[in-house]
Amino acid sequence: MDYKYLTQEVIDSGGRNITSPEMFAEARLYNIEAMKNNVRRRRVHALFNTWVITQYVLVIWFMFSLIMVYSNDYVPDWRIALAALGFFGYLILVTYFVYMKNCRERYVLCLVSLPAILISFIFLLFPVANFGIGWYYNNEENKLSKELGYPSFPRLLITTVNSDADRITNLTYDSIREKANRDHPHDGTFL
């Protein structure tokens, strides 16, 4: 959305002194959009993180269920070593790239989840799903990065002080009374 009165500098300052109804309407609209964008961004992050944690749970659960299923059968040592290599390789690579390096690129997510295939071919789902969730995450982040207030989308504090004081510390009781008399003429009995 294009704003006439709001700029990134105004957003970074955290507040805006409103001098017209148009400015108030625009600041109010920005606050509504900022809240929606912030919720949307948190939802995308939560979905991504939930999927990655679900992968950990699935890998660990499936690894232990394989151990229980094949505990009485003979499984070649090379197959056990290959599954253990895939298990630890997957855990180390995903933890390092996703959580330590904060990498969210779809190709990297796909590549770091490939060692899970060494456990079982069922985990071919992980690279495919990671590619999809990486694409979704980056697509949503690119859309949100074009919005004013990205990345934190702070809400504006809207003020209507038209005093001569240049800072809040310079406001006095007299300047507030002058503003009240100017904006709402009265006989002065309540001030």
Side-chain angles (χ1 to χ4, degrees):
M1 172 164 199
D2 294 328
Y3 293 100
K4 182 178 177 184
Y5 300 106
L6 296 178
T7 62
Q8 190 62 43
E9 292 79 26
V10 172
I11 304 298
D12 291 341
S13 71
R16 182 73 174 158
N17 191 21
I18 302 300
T19 57
S20 71
E22 294 84 19
M23 287 177 73
F24 179 78
E26 187 172 288
R28 183 177 174 277
L29 183 63
Y30 166 77
N31 281 344
I32 292 169
E33 289 297 318
M35 184 57 105
K36 286 180 184 176
N37 289 337
N38 194 5
V39 168
R40 187 170 146 201
R41 187 163 192 255
R42 283 187 297 159
R43 188 177 300 130
V44 169
H45 281 267
L47 178 68
F48 179 84
N49 289 327
T50 302
W51 168 242
V52 173
I53 291 170
T54 302
Q55 287 181 54
Y56 282 132
V57 171
L58 288 174
V59 165
I60 292 170
W61 175 75
F62 193 76
M63 190 69 177
F64 283 115
S65 66
L66 280 178
I67 290 170
M68 295 302 289
V69 167
Y70 292 117
S71 62
N72 295 331
D73 296 339
Y74 172 74
V75 178
D77 291 338
W78 65 269
R79 182 68 182 115
I80 294 172
L82 197 61
L85 180 69
F87 178 72
F88 289 114
Y90 170 79
L91 290 179
I92 291 169
L93 287 173
V94 169
T95 302
Y96 179 74
F97 281 102
V98 174
Y99 287 113
M100 297 174 113
K101 291 290 188 180
N102 289 323
C103 182
R104 305 288 194 256
E105 286 299 318
R106 57 183 177 230
Y107 297 111
V108 174
L109 291 171
C110 183
L111 288 175
V112 300
S113 58
L114 282 177
I117 297 173
L118 296 176
I119 301 169
S120 175
F121 284 114
I122 292 173
F123 292 120
L124 187 60
L125 169 75
F126 283 3
V128 173
N130 282 342
F131 185 85
I133 198 77
W135 176 83
Y136 172 73
Y137 179 88
N138 288 323
N139 187 33
E140 290 297 315
E141 280 291 313
N142 288 338
K143 286 179 189 175
L144 288 172
S145 68
K146 294 178 177 97
E147 298 292 328
L148 195 61
Y150 179 83
S152 61
F153 299 109
R155 286 181 285 172
L156 285 178
L157 176 63
I158 302 170
T159 60
T160 57
V161 176
N162 58 358
S163 171
D164 293 332
D166 57 350
R167 284 188 277 168
I168 196 76
T169 56
N170 294 341
L171 284 177
T172 62
Y173 182 74
D174 291 330
S175 66
I176 293 171
R177 184 184 345 203
E178 289 171 15
K179 179 191 179 318
N181 284 332
R182 213 176 25 246
D183 293 347
H184 307 286
H186 62 287
D187 61 359
T189 55
F190 72 95
L191 288 176

